[in-house]
Amino acid sequence: KAGQRVLESITHYLETKLKLRVNRVKSGVGHPWQRKFLGYTVCNRERNVRLKVAPRAIIRLRGDLKAVFRRGRGRALRRVIEELNLKLRGWMNYFRHSGVKGVLPELDGWIRRHLRTILWLQWTRPFTRATNLMRLGLDEQRAWNSAQNGRGSWWNAGASHLNHALPKKLFDRLGLVALLGYYHQLIRLT
């Protein structure tokens, strides 16, 4: 109740005396872990208070990355990765003060799955898919079964045959920024 009174008093002062407009959607009273400020929120576990990335910031990042993935369907994977790296480095530099990094491996896996989806869609015919899977190290029988399975691109991108053919180290070699690795690199520099 006291916080609500202070909020109303400050809002009245800002609007009447200073002639400023207060955004009532963003302004509110609550515990720090219930509010977000500049993309951060607070995590409070057993009196161990740390900053973490707010859920809306993660949703916004995923939306930005989806736009890059949509544009990447007809381009070389290296060019898509170059464009992704710009966004990922900027986002991680902004959120480098986050003490909770549990969402970063999940985002890394999601990004790699989208890149596998792009490749699967670029290999349009089953013959091309089987040939490329064999070239990437799958045995002939498994490559042909995978190429002709009739499942969608998102399912195939998460399946074991594409994870085996296109592992994380391949994307590291192509220069994809791993959020968790980049986070640790930023922490070492500070």
Side-chain angles (χ1 to χ4, degrees):
K1 289 181 180 180
Q4 199 63 39
R5 271 196 322 270
V6 170
L7 176 67
E8 290 171 11
S9 169
I10 291 173
T11 303
H12 178 72
Y13 176 76
L14 289 173
E15 290 179 340
T16 57
K17 297 281 187 193
L18 299 179
K19 306 289 188 221
L20 297 173
R21 207 169 12 149
V22 176
N23 187 339
R24 297 190 189 278
V25 175
K26 293 182 179 179
S27 303
V29 176
H31 294 287
W33 52 89
Q34 295 171 334
R35 308 291 302 167
K36 76 172 190 64
F37 184 69
L38 297 175
Y40 284 98
T41 188
V42 177
C43 179
N44 182 14
R45 292 223 170 105
E46 299 172 13
R47 304 227 183 248
N48 186 9
V49 179
R50 294 182 291 171
L51 289 175
K52 74 175 194 176
V53 181
R56 287 183 86 191
I58 295 169
I59 291 169
R60 193 174 313 121
L61 172 71
R62 283 181 183 241
D64 290 347
L65 295 181
K66 280 182 181 179
V68 174
F69 296 136
R70 264 185 245 113
R71 287 193 303 270
R73 292 204 175 143
R75 299 187 318 185
L77 196 62
R78 287 188 191 275
R79 296 205 39 218
V80 175
I81 288 174
E82 286 172 9
E83 190 175 347
L84 278 175
N85 284 344
L86 292 174
K87 289 190 181 296
L88 295 175
R89 280 193 186 104
W91 190 83
M92 199 65 249
N93 278 322
Y94 183 79
F95 288 109
R96 71 179 174 267
H97 301 296
S98 174
V100 180
K101 54 191 179 293
V103 73
L104 300 180
E106 178 189 332
L107 280 172
D108 283 335
W110 181 80
I111 290 166
R112 286 191 303 273
R113 187 169 181 177
H114 267 285
L115 292 173
R116 288 185 192 107
T117 301
I118 290 172
L119 280 177
W120 191 258
L121 289 171
Q122 287 178 355
W123 304 339
T124 52
R125 294 174 28 233
F127 178 79
T128 308
R129 289 175 178 168
T131 305
N132 285 327
L133 288 173
M134 285 185 280
R135 190 173 46 84
L136 290 168
L138 256 62
D139 62 276
E140 186 175 355
Q141 182 63 38
R142 188 173 179 201
W144 278 104
N145 288 342
S146 302
Q148 296 173 333
N149 65 16
R151 303 269 188 153
S153 57
W154 183 251
W155 185 89
N156 278 297
S160 63
H161 58 270
L162 267 187
N163 280 315
H164 183 269
L166 301 167
K168 179 186 180 309
K169 60 184 169 187
L170 177 99
F171 292 113
D172 292 341
R173 231 180 343 202
L174 289 172
L176 178 67
V177 170
L179 289 174
L180 188 61
Y182 193 62
Y183 172 80
H184 288 305
Q185 185 180 349
L186 289 172
I187 296 300
R188 272 187 255 125
L189 294 176
T190 23

